Amino acid sequence: MREKVKTDQEQVFREFPVPKALRVMVVPAVISQLIVLIYNMADTFYVGQTDNPYMVAATSLILPVFNITLCLAGLAGIGGGALISRLLGQERRDEARKVSVFSLYLGILIAAVLSRFSWG
């Protein structure tokens, strides 16, 4: 099973034209963002049942903060992973190790800063 998944991923990057490869890679990301949006709408609906406009406003205001958090996580995780894979493909293991450590520390720093803001 793992061999088939690996072959399919290699096929996307090696054989597909760029527009088709982008569609294959973008569709799951769009679906995940739609799921986050639906969850937020459901949260707003259930919080709206309390008849407290401040709670509804807080639920609506947190979505951009949540999206920014996802973007920062993507910066450290996905961006770092892409750079690491390119460096490993070029046999530049020392630089890949440095990028790996930097991505790890960047993720820890982002989590610490966001934790600090959430504690007030």
Side-chain angles (χ1 to χ4, degrees):
M1 178 83 180
R2 235 176 217 279
E3 293 292 324
K4 181 167 177 37
V5 171
K6 186 175 184 181
T7 303
D8 291 341
Q9 288 175 351
E10 288 179 9
Q11 181 182 9
V12 167
F13 290 114
R14 292 177 191 249
E15 299 174 10
F16 286 12
V18 173
K20 184 175 181 180
L22 281 175
R23 279 193 304 271
V24 167
M25 301 303 287
V26 167
V27 168
V30 169
I31 290 172
S32 68
Q33 286 295 317
L34 286 173
I35 290 171
V36 168
L37 180 65
I38 290 169
Y39 279 148
N40 186 266
M41 289 171 52
D43 289 342
T44 304
F45 172 76
Y46 287 112
V47 170
Q49 299 293 319
T50 64
D51 292 326
N52 186 341
Y54 296 113
M55 291 175 73
V56 174
T59 304
S60 299
L61 288 174
I62 200 64
L63 181 62
V65 174
F66 183 70
N67 283 339
I68 290 170
T69 305
L70 287 176
C71 290
L72 291 174
L75 172 73
I78 298 169
L83 181 57
I84 291 166
S85 65
R86 286 196 312 256
L87 291 172
L88 289 175
Q90 296 171 355
E91 300 293 329
R92 295 163 56 185
R93 296 191 187 282
D94 290 336
E95 289 180 54
R97 188 169 291 130
K98 290 177 185 176
V99 171
S100 172
V101 170
F102 178 78
S103 294
L104 175 69
Y105 287 143
L106 180 62
I108 291 170
L109 177 69
I110 290 170
V113 167
L114 291 176
S115 296
R116 178 66 184 125
F117 282 128
S118 68
W119 282 59

